[in-house]
């Protein structure tokens, strides 16, 4: 992209393994994140809809006189990423700002401590982790999952980033989105420093899906499989990870087995 939107991650990428062709398993949060958690594709783990799709289905069912519908959820007999590390002796913590990463959909399986509040800003998740810091860093080793929601519709104007990108983007909606990315980068950096992740920590950044701004006639992220929705960020930084750019095709299903092998789990 012609403008720098995430300076901290850009600096970290210089000493990280960066996967240039990482692909999502879905254009929606719940199926894609379930793939990160299970190393399975949506037709295998069964989470093919999130809460918002369920809500629309529920409204339709209510119009027909039915008030209950089953939720897609990660099956209890599937081993999730936090369950794997918990079984390996790790303390496990998770914070999430997306309703689709809810315990009712099975995402809390394996966590010793899990906090989820829909649309919680990055600052709220940072404060929660600061409150947990003693327990997190005191438990060696630990596994931590952080799901940030800020770069997401509806887009917010975050100063001073919005004003800067507005001049270059020429589109208020796009400038709001870019300002959210820049602000999220700041909270990722603060979390990284708070927990001193530069020390003996494997730090992995992965996005669940992309966002469309009229690239193929749509906006946000609908049920389409274009590159702007499917190409995601995936990078790993830490001891034993040589800095390099990797052009091979990889997927979110590769995250769990890679972490497990790296940690000897």
């Amino acid at each position: 992209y012609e403008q720098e939107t995430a300076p901290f991650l850009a600096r970290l990428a210089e000493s990280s393994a960066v996967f240039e062709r990482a692909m999502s398993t879905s254009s929606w949060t719940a199926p894609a994140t379930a793939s990160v958690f299970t190393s399975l594709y949506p037709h295998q783990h069964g989470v093919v809809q999130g809460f918002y799709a369920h809500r629309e289905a529920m409204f339709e069912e209510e119009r027909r006189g039915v008030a209950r519908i089953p939720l897609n959820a990660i099956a209890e007999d599937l081993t999730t990423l936090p369950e794997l590390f918990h079984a390996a002796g790790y303390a496990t913590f998770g914070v999430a700002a997306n309703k689709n990463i809810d315990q009712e959909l099975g995402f809390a399986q394996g966590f010793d401590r899990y906090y989820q509040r829909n649309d919680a800003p990055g600052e709220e998740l940072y404060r929660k982790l600061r409150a947990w810091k003693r327990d997190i860093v005191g438990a060696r080793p630990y596994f931590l999952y952080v799901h940030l929601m800020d770069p997401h519709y509806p887009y917010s104007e975050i100063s001073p980033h919005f004003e800067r990108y507005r001049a270059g983007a020429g589109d208020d909606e796009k400038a709001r989105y870019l300002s959210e990315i820049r602000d999220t980068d700041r909270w990722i950096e603060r979390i990284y420093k708070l927990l001193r992740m530069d020390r003996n920590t494997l730090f992995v950044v992965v996005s669940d899906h992309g966002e469309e701004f009229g690239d193929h006639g749509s906006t946000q992220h609908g049920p389409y499989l274009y590159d702007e929705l499917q190409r995601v960020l995936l990078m790993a930084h830490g001891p034993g990870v040589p800095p390099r750019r990797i052009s091979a095709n990889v997927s979110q299903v590769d995250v769990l087995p890679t972490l497990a092998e790296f940690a000897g789990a």
Side-chain angles (χ1 to χ4, degrees):
Y1 190 63
E2 58 269 15
Q3 297 188 66
E4 181 54 77
T5 57
F8 170 69
L9 289 181
R11 290 195 304 271
L12 202 67
E14 295 175 359
S15 56
S16 302
V18 178
F19 297 87
E20 297 177 329
R21 288 196 57 82
M23 306 298 290
S24 176
T25 64
S26 174
S27 60
W28 298 339
T29 294
T33 308
S35 291
V36 174
F37 271 47
T38 65
S39 188
L40 298 172
Y41 291 97
H43 76 281
Q44 297 171 313
H45 59 58
V47 181
V48 296
Q49 289 182 315
F51 266 103
Y52 297 105
H54 281 303
R55 181 177 61 186
E56 295 303 316
M58 185 177 68
F59 291 156
E60 178 61 29
E61 292 297 299
E62 287 178 343
R63 284 192 287 269
R64 297 176 182 176
V66 181
R68 294 175 64 86
I69 60 171
L71 285 174
N72 295 162
I74 298 175
E76 292 184 2
D77 61 349
L78 292 178
T79 300
T80 64
L81 189 55
E83 285 180 310
L84 185 149
F85 277 93
H86 189 275
Y90 284 66
T92 52
F93 303 87
V95 292
N98 191 311
K99 180 64 176 173
N100 290 306
I101 314 300
D102 193 278
Q103 60 183 6
E104 293 175 336
L105 295 183
F107 286 96
Q109 292 175 205
F111 284 109
D112 293 316
R113 194 176 299 178
Y114 189 72
Y115 174 81
Q116 183 274 325
R117 191 180 76 79
N118 197 36
D119 291 332
E123 181 178 5
E124 181 176 327
L125 298 190
Y126 170 80
R127 292 183 184 280
K128 178 61 66 175
L129 293 174
R130 191 172 64 181
W132 291 359
K133 179 180 178 180
R134 180 176 297 179
D135 294 330
I136 294 174
V137 299
R140 284 286 187 258
Y142 73 85
F143 170 83
L144 170 65
Y145 178 78
V146 179
H147 192 109
L148 293 151
M149 181 73 170
D150 303 74
H152 198 285
Y153 185 86
Y155 314 122
S156 302
E157 297 179 9
I158 301 177
S159 297
H161 317 302
F162 171 72
E163 290 77 14
R164 182 185 313 135
Y165 293 125
R166 188 182 188 187
D171 180 291
D172 281 3
E173 188 169 72
K174 187 180 294 185
R176 287 195 293 269
Y177 180 69
L178 295 176
S179 76
E180 291 179 332
I181 294 176
R182 179 64 184 86
D183 192 60
T184 300
D185 182 71
R186 180 170 67 98
W187 289 112
I188 293 174
E189 181 178 18
R190 292 193 66 176
I191 292 169
Y192 184 88
K193 292 179 177 178
L194 172 73
L195 300 177
R196 307 186 80 170
M197 291 180 175
D198 59 326
R199 299 187 178 187
N200 197 33
T201 302
L202 179 61
F203 181 73
V204 175
V205 182
V206 59
S207 48
D208 50 357
H209 58 75
E211 201 82 337
E212 183 179 355
F213 285 88
D215 306 66
H216 287 89
S218 299
T219 57
Q220 303 175 46
H221 49 283
Y224 310 111
L225 300 176
Y226 296 117
D227 260 11
E228 59 269 19
L229 300 177
Q230 299 306 110
R231 292 279 293 274
V232 293
L233 170 64
L234 179 58
M235 55 185 277
H237 179 272
V241 181
R244 61 197 187 281
R245 311 286 296 196
I246 300 167
S247 59
N249 291 334
V250 296
S251 165
Q252 291 159 336
V253 300
D254 297 314
V255 173
L256 184 151
T258 302
L259 292 182
E261 181 179 353
F262 196 90

